[in-house]
């Protein structure tokens, strides 16, 4: 009903995971990536996928770049902007022994809507990939010998800074993600994303 629809706004996000870039080439073969959309308790998925996995990909002419071109599309609704949606990426690939292992994690915030609240905005993000590391020399040595990196049981905790405090990691490479966002109903709820100009406000 009309009264119910005035209690929340919609956010539609579209785009794609374009590629992974490594300065000296990827440390592994057959790379694939999983993404998970993470949002606050007041957010609800209306349409689209909250999780998905890309196809397996390899480098071609450019040994530093792995192209995925994985589409991302979902719509969520919420009663307030707290817990704005983030996308957590988990990259995997085979090591020298052909064993599948973690090749890095990354996360990005979904963009705010355009000027005026109910508008379209687009941005391209280059998100650093980081790999967790063991905090003791023995485990680190075994990881180096086996070529198997430590993995996170639930990568979605990366969306909450309080839950991965003290995590040791190193970065190598980055994911290139292009996202567009459009909101509906935010003006009706008097929400201002802080992107309106002085002329737009009057």
């Amino acid at each position: 009903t009309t009264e119910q629809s005035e209690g929340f706004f919609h956010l539609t996000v579209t785009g794609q995971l374009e590629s992974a870039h490594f300065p000296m080439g990827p440390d592994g073969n057959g790379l694939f990536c999983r993404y998970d959309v993470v949002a606050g308790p007041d957010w609800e998925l209306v349409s689209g996928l909250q999780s998905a996995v890309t196809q397996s990909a390899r480098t071609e002419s450019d040994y530093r770049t792995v192209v995925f071109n994985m589409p991302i599309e979902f719509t969520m609704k919420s009663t307030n902007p707290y817990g704005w949606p983030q996308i957590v990426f988990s990259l995997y690939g085979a090591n020298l022994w052909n064993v599948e292992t973690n090749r890095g994690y990354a996360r990005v915030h979904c963009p705010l809507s355009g000027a005026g609240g109910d508008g379209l905005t687009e941005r391209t993000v280059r998100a650093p990939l980081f790999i967790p590391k063991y905090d003791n020399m023995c485990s680190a040595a075994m990881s180096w010998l086996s070529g198997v990196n430590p993995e996170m049981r639930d990568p979605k905790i990366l969306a909450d800074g309080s839950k991965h405090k003290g995590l040791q990691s190193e970065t190598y490479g980055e994911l290139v993600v292009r996202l567009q966002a459009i909101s509906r109903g935010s003006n009706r709820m008097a929400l201002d994303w802080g992107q309106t100009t002085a002329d737009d406000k009057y």
Side-chain angles (χ1 to χ4, degrees), residues 46-68:
V46 176
S47 65
L49 297 176
Q50 196 156 4
S51 299
V53 180
T54 71
Q55 80 283 1
S56 178
R58 300 175 182 271
T59 57
E60 295 182 357
S61 57
D62 181 359
Y63 73 94
R64 295 184 297 268
T65 303
V66 179
V67 177
F68 294 112

PDB file of all heavy atoms in Angstrom, residues 46-68:
ATOM      1  N   VAL A  46      15.556  -7.541  -2.423  1.00  0.00           N
ATOM      2  CA  VAL A  46      14.288  -7.577  -3.144  1.00  0.00           C
ATOM      3  C   VAL A  46      14.416  -8.407  -4.414  1.00  0.00           C
ATOM      4  O   VAL A  46      13.536  -9.200  -4.751  1.00  0.00           O
ATOM      5  CB  VAL A  46      13.812  -6.144  -3.474  1.00  0.00           C
ATOM      6  CG1 VAL A  46      12.544  -6.179  -4.318  1.00  0.00           C
ATOM      7  CG2 VAL A  46      13.588  -5.346  -2.199  1.00  0.00           C
ATOM      8  N   SER A  47      15.504  -8.229  -5.153  1.00  0.00           N
ATOM      9  CA  SER A  47      15.725  -8.994  -6.375  1.00  0.00           C
ATOM     10  C   SER A  47      17.217  -9.097  -6.647  1.00  0.00           C
ATOM     11  O   SER A  47      18.014  -8.328  -6.105  1.00  0.00           O
ATOM     12  CB  SER A  47      15.022  -8.330  -7.569  1.00  0.00           C
ATOM     13  OG  SER A  47      15.595  -7.068  -7.850  1.00  0.00           O
ATOM     14  N   GLY A  48      17.587 -10.043  -7.497  1.00  0.00           N
ATOM     15  CA  GLY A  48      18.991 -10.226  -7.828  1.00  0.00           C
ATOM     16  C   GLY A  48      19.657 -11.264  -6.942  1.00  0.00           C
ATOM     17  O   GLY A  48      19.018 -11.933  -6.118  1.00  0.00           O
ATOM     18  N   LEU A  49      20.962 -11.393  -7.101  1.00  0.00           N
ATOM     19  CA  LEU A  49      21.740 -12.388  -6.368  1.00  0.00           C
ATOM     20  C   LEU A  49      22.534 -11.737  -5.248  1.00  0.00           C
ATOM     21  O   LEU A  49      23.185 -10.716  -5.452  1.00  0.00           O
ATOM     22  CB  LEU A  49      22.703 -13.111  -7.315  1.00  0.00           C
ATOM     23  CG  LEU A  49      22.068 -13.928  -8.443  1.00  0.00           C
ATOM     24  CD1 LEU A  49      23.149 -14.490  -9.352  1.00  0.00           C
ATOM     25  CD2 LEU A  49      21.197 -15.047  -7.878  1.00  0.00           C
ATOM     26  N   GLN A  50      22.483 -12.358  -4.068  1.00  0.00           N
ATOM     27  CA  GLN A  50      23.278 -11.869  -2.948  1.00  0.00           C
ATOM     28  C   GLN A  50      24.678 -12.475  -2.952  1.00  0.00           C
ATOM     29  O   GLN A  50      25.603 -11.922  -2.375  1.00  0.00           O
ATOM     30  CB  GLN A  50      22.573 -12.178  -1.626  1.00  0.00           C
ATOM     31  CG  GLN A  50      23.116 -11.389  -0.447  1.00  0.00           C
ATOM     32  CD  GLN A  50      22.101 -11.257   0.665  1.00  0.00           C
ATOM     33  OE1 GLN A  50      21.015 -11.818   0.599  1.00  0.00           O
ATOM     34  NE2 GLN A  50      22.440 -10.506   1.690  1.00  0.00           N
ATOM     35  N   SER A  51      24.842 -13.615  -3.626  1.00  0.00           N
ATOM     36  CA  SER A  51      26.139 -14.278  -3.764  1.00  0.00           C
ATOM     37  C   SER A  51      26.232 -14.890  -5.151  1.00  0.00           C
ATOM     38  O   SER A  51      25.220 -15.351  -5.690  1.00  0.00           O
ATOM     39  CB  SER A  51      26.323 -15.364  -2.702  1.00  0.00           C
ATOM     40  OG  SER A  51      26.284 -14.824  -1.400  1.00  0.00           O
ATOM     41  N   ALA A  52      27.439 -14.905  -5.714  1.00  0.00           N
ATOM     42  CA  ALA A  52      27.645 -15.520  -7.026  1.00  0.00           C
ATOM     43  C   ALA A  52      29.127 -15.829  -7.201  1.00  0.00           C
ATOM     44  O   ALA A  52      29.976 -15.286  -6.489  1.00  0.00           O
ATOM     45  CB  ALA A  52      27.156 -14.602  -8.149  1.00  0.00           C
ATOM     46  N   VAL A  53      29.422 -16.718  -8.164  1.00  0.00           N
ATOM     47  CA  VAL A  53      30.793 -17.140  -8.440  1.00  0.00           C
ATOM     48  C   VAL A  53      31.076 -16.953  -9.922  1.00  0.00           C
ATOM     49  O   VAL A  53      30.234 -17.276 -10.771  1.00  0.00           O
ATOM     50  CB  VAL A  53      31.010 -18.622  -8.047  1.00  0.00           C
ATOM     51  CG1 VAL A  53      32.440 -19.056  -8.347  1.00  0.00           C
ATOM     52  CG2 VAL A  53      30.700 -18.834  -6.575  1.00  0.00           C
ATOM     53  N   THR A  54      32.259 -16.443 -10.235  1.00  0.00           N
ATOM     54  CA  THR A  54      32.646 -16.237 -11.625  1.00  0.00           C
ATOM     55  C   THR A  54      33.100 -17.552 -12.250  1.00  0.00           C
ATOM     56  O   THR A  54      33.263 -18.578 -11.568  1.00  0.00           O
ATOM     57  CB  THR A  54      33.806 -15.232 -11.743  1.00  0.00           C
ATOM     58  OG1 THR A  54      35.008 -15.852 -11.243  1.00  0.00           O
ATOM     59  CG2 THR A  54      33.522 -13.971 -10.966  1.00  0.00           C
ATOM     60  N   GLN A  55      33.323 -17.512 -13.555  1.00  0.00           N
ATOM     61  CA  GLN A  55      33.947 -18.634 -14.237  1.00  0.00           C
ATOM     62  C   GLN A  55      35.439 -18.631 -13.926  1.00  0.00           C
ATOM     63  O   GLN A  55      35.996 -17.643 -13.463  1.00  0.00           O
ATOM     64  CB  GLN A  55      33.720 -18.528 -15.755  1.00  0.00           C
ATOM     65  CG  GLN A  55      34.652 -17.566 -16.493  1.00  0.00           C
ATOM     66  CD  GLN A  55      34.302 -16.102 -16.314  1.00  0.00           C
ATOM     67  OE1 GLN A  55      33.356 -15.769 -15.604  1.00  0.00           O
ATOM     68  NE2 GLN A  55      35.067 -15.230 -16.954  1.00  0.00           N
ATOM     69  N   SER A  56      36.092 -19.762 -14.192  1.00  0.00           N
ATOM     70  CA  SER A  56      37.534 -19.845 -14.035  1.00  0.00           C
ATOM     71  C   SER A  56      38.205 -19.100 -15.183  1.00  0.00           C
ATOM     72  O   SER A  56      37.794 -19.234 -16.335  1.00  0.00           O
ATOM     73  CB  SER A  56      37.991 -21.308 -14.016  1.00  0.00           C
ATOM     74  OG  SER A  56      39.390 -21.397 -13.908  1.00  0.00           O
ATOM     75  N   ALA A  57      39.228 -18.304 -14.881  1.00  0.00           N
ATOM     76  CA  ALA A  57      39.870 -17.480 -15.908  1.00  0.00           C
ATOM     77  C   ALA A  57      41.386 -17.532 -15.755  1.00  0.00           C
ATOM     78  O   ALA A  57      41.919 -17.777 -14.665  1.00  0.00           O
ATOM     79  CB  ALA A  57      39.375 -16.039 -15.815  1.00  0.00           C
ATOM     80  N   ARG A  58      42.066 -17.268 -16.854  1.00  0.00           N
ATOM     81  CA  ARG A  58      43.524 -17.247 -16.887  1.00  0.00           C
ATOM     82  C   ARG A  58      43.995 -15.990 -17.608  1.00  0.00           C
ATOM     83  O   ARG A  58      43.234 -15.346 -18.319  1.00  0.00           O
ATOM     84  CB  ARG A  58      44.087 -18.480 -17.602  1.00  0.00           C
ATOM     85  CG  ARG A  58      43.704 -19.795 -16.969  1.00  0.00           C
ATOM     86  CD  ARG A  58      44.189 -20.974 -17.792  1.00  0.00           C
ATOM     87  NE  ARG A  58      43.777 -22.245 -17.222  1.00  0.00           N
ATOM     88  CZ  ARG A  58      44.480 -22.912 -16.328  1.00  0.00           C
ATOM     89  NH1 ARG A  58      45.644 -22.438 -15.910  1.00  0.00           N
ATOM     90  NH2 ARG A  58      44.033 -24.062 -15.855  1.00  0.00           N
ATOM     91  N   THR A  59      45.259 -15.670 -17.426  1.00  0.00           N
ATOM     92  CA  THR A  59      45.833 -14.542 -18.147  1.00  0.00           C
ATOM     93  C   THR A  59      45.990 -14.913 -19.610  1.00  0.00           C
ATOM     94  O   THR A  59      46.181 -16.086 -19.953  1.00  0.00           O
ATOM     95  CB  THR A  59      47.210 -14.165 -17.571  1.00  0.00           C
ATOM     96  OG1 THR A  59      48.070 -15.301 -17.629  1.00  0.00           O
ATOM     97  CG2 THR A  59      47.083 -13.692 -16.130  1.00  0.00           C
ATOM     98  N   GLU A  60      45.935 -13.898 -20.471  1.00  0.00           N
ATOM     99  CA  GLU A  60      46.107 -14.143 -21.905  1.00  0.00           C
ATOM    100  C   GLU A  60      47.291 -13.318 -22.413  1.00  0.00           C
ATOM    101  O   GLU A  60      48.413 -13.549 -22.021  1.00  0.00           O
ATOM    102  CB  GLU A  60      44.807 -13.812 -22.632  1.00  0.00           C
ATOM    103  CG  GLU A  60      43.663 -14.749 -22.237  1.00  0.00           C
ATOM    104  CD  GLU A  60      42.386 -14.475 -22.986  1.00  0.00           C
ATOM    105  OE1 GLU A  60      42.351 -13.518 -23.788  1.00  0.00           O
ATOM    106  OE2 GLU A  60      41.408 -15.213 -22.783  1.00  0.00           O
ATOM    107  N   SER A  61      47.044 -12.316 -23.267  1.00  0.00           N
ATOM    108  CA  SER A  61      48.147 -11.544 -23.827  1.00  0.00           C
ATOM    109  C   SER A  61      48.854 -10.718 -22.752  1.00  0.00           C
ATOM    110  O   SER A  61      50.071 -10.552 -22.780  1.00  0.00           O
ATOM    111  CB  SER A  61      47.631 -10.623 -24.940  1.00  0.00           C
ATOM    112  OG  SER A  61      46.606  -9.776 -24.454  1.00  0.00           O
ATOM    113  N   ASP A  62      48.079 -10.185 -21.808  1.00  0.00           N
ATOM    114  CA  ASP A  62      48.665  -9.417 -20.713  1.00  0.00           C
ATOM    115  C   ASP A  62      48.790 -10.347 -19.510  1.00  0.00           C
ATOM    116  O   ASP A  62      47.800 -10.713 -18.881  1.00  0.00           O
ATOM    117  CB  ASP A  62      47.763  -8.217 -20.375  1.00  0.00           C
ATOM    118  CG  ASP A  62      48.339  -7.364 -19.250  1.00  0.00           C
ATOM    119  OD1 ASP A  62      49.428  -7.717 -18.735  1.00  0.00           O
ATOM    120  OD2 ASP A  62      47.701  -6.379 -18.884  1.00  0.00           O
ATOM    121  N   TYR A  63      50.007 -10.744 -19.170  1.00  0.00           N
ATOM    122  CA  TYR A  63      50.209 -11.720 -18.098  1.00  0.00           C
ATOM    123  C   TYR A  63      49.853 -11.171 -16.731  1.00  0.00           C
ATOM    124  O   TYR A  63      49.768 -11.913 -15.744  1.00  0.00           O
ATOM    125  CB  TYR A  63      51.660 -12.211 -18.101  1.00  0.00           C
ATOM    126  CG  TYR A  63      52.647 -11.184 -17.602  1.00  0.00           C
ATOM    127  CD1 TYR A  63      53.038 -11.152 -16.258  1.00  0.00           C
ATOM    128  CD2 TYR A  63      53.197 -10.234 -18.464  1.00  0.00           C
ATOM    129  CE1 TYR A  63      53.947 -10.219 -15.801  1.00  0.00           C
ATOM    130  CE2 TYR A  63      54.098  -9.299 -18.011  1.00  0.00           C
ATOM    131  CZ  TYR A  63      54.479  -9.292 -16.675  1.00  0.00           C
ATOM    132  OH  TYR A  63      55.373  -8.354 -16.227  1.00  0.00           O
ATOM    133  N   ARG A  64      49.629  -9.852 -16.641  1.00  0.00           N
ATOM    134  CA  ARG A  64      49.319  -9.238 -15.339  1.00  0.00           C
ATOM    135  C   ARG A  64      47.822  -9.161 -15.060  1.00  0.00           C
ATOM    136  O   ARG A  64      47.428  -8.883 -13.939  1.00  0.00           O
ATOM    137  CB  ARG A  64      49.918  -7.823 -15.280  1.00  0.00           C
ATOM    138  CG  ARG A  64      51.435  -7.779 -15.333  1.00  0.00           C
ATOM    139  CD  ARG A  64      51.921  -6.357 -15.181  1.00  0.00           C
ATOM    140  NE  ARG A  64      51.480  -5.521 -16.278  1.00  0.00           N
ATOM    141  CZ  ARG A  64      52.182  -5.307 -17.384  1.00  0.00           C
ATOM    142  NH1 ARG A  64      53.362  -5.884 -17.518  1.00  0.00           N
ATOM    143  NH2 ARG A  64      51.728  -4.548 -18.351  1.00  0.00           N
ATOM    144  N   THR A  65      46.964  -9.371 -16.050  1.00  0.00           N
ATOM    145  CA  THR A  65      45.531  -9.135 -15.907  1.00  0.00           C
ATOM    146  C   THR A  65      44.717 -10.398 -16.171  1.00  0.00           C
ATOM    147  O   THR A  65      44.964 -11.107 -17.150  1.00  0.00           O
ATOM    148  CB  THR A  65      45.067  -8.019 -16.865  1.00  0.00           C
ATOM    149  OG1 THR A  65      45.816  -6.840 -16.610  1.00  0.00           O
ATOM    150  CG2 THR A  65      43.585  -7.717 -16.664  1.00  0.00           C
ATOM    151  N   VAL A  66      43.769 -10.657 -15.289  1.00  0.00           N
ATOM    152  CA  VAL A  66      42.817 -11.758 -15.455  1.00  0.00           C
ATOM    153  C   VAL A  66      41.432 -11.138 -15.594  1.00  0.00           C
ATOM    154  O   VAL A  66      40.977 -10.420 -14.699  1.00  0.00           O
ATOM    155  CB  VAL A  66      42.842 -12.720 -14.253  1.00  0.00           C
ATOM    156  CG1 VAL A  66      41.815 -13.837 -14.440  1.00  0.00           C
ATOM    157  CG2 VAL A  66      44.233 -13.302 -14.067  1.00  0.00           C
ATOM    158  N   VAL A  67      40.763 -11.379 -16.722  1.00  0.00           N
ATOM    159  CA  VAL A  67      39.471 -10.752 -17.007  1.00  0.00           C
ATOM    160  C   VAL A  67      38.331 -11.692 -16.596  1.00  0.00           C
ATOM    161  O   VAL A  67      38.310 -12.858 -16.990  1.00  0.00           O
ATOM    162  CB  VAL A  67      39.350 -10.403 -18.506  1.00  0.00           C
ATOM    163  CG1 VAL A  67      37.976  -9.814 -18.806  1.00  0.00           C
ATOM    164  CG2 VAL A  67      40.455  -9.431 -18.905  1.00  0.00           C
ATOM    165  N   PHE A  68      37.375 -11.153 -15.820  1.00  0.00           N
ATOM    166  CA  PHE A  68      36.209 -11.924 -15.386  1.00  0.00           C
ATOM    167  C   PHE A  68      34.927 -11.448 -16.083  1.00  0.00           C
ATOM    168  O   PHE A  68      34.119 -12.243 -16.544  1.00  0.00           O
ATOM    169  CB  PHE A  68      36.019 -11.812 -13.867  1.00  0.00           C
ATOM    170  CG  PHE A  68      37.120 -12.436 -13.070  1.00  0.00           C
ATOM    171  CD1 PHE A  68      37.986 -11.652 -12.318  1.00  0.00           C
ATOM    172  CD2 PHE A  68      37.290 -13.804 -13.063  1.00  0.00           C
ATOM    173  CE1 PHE A  68      38.997 -12.231 -11.574  1.00  0.00           C
ATOM    174  CE2 PHE A  68      38.299 -14.395 -12.320  1.00  0.00           C
ATOM    175  CZ  PHE A  68      39.161 -13.598 -11.567  1.00  0.00           C
TER     176      PHE A  68
END
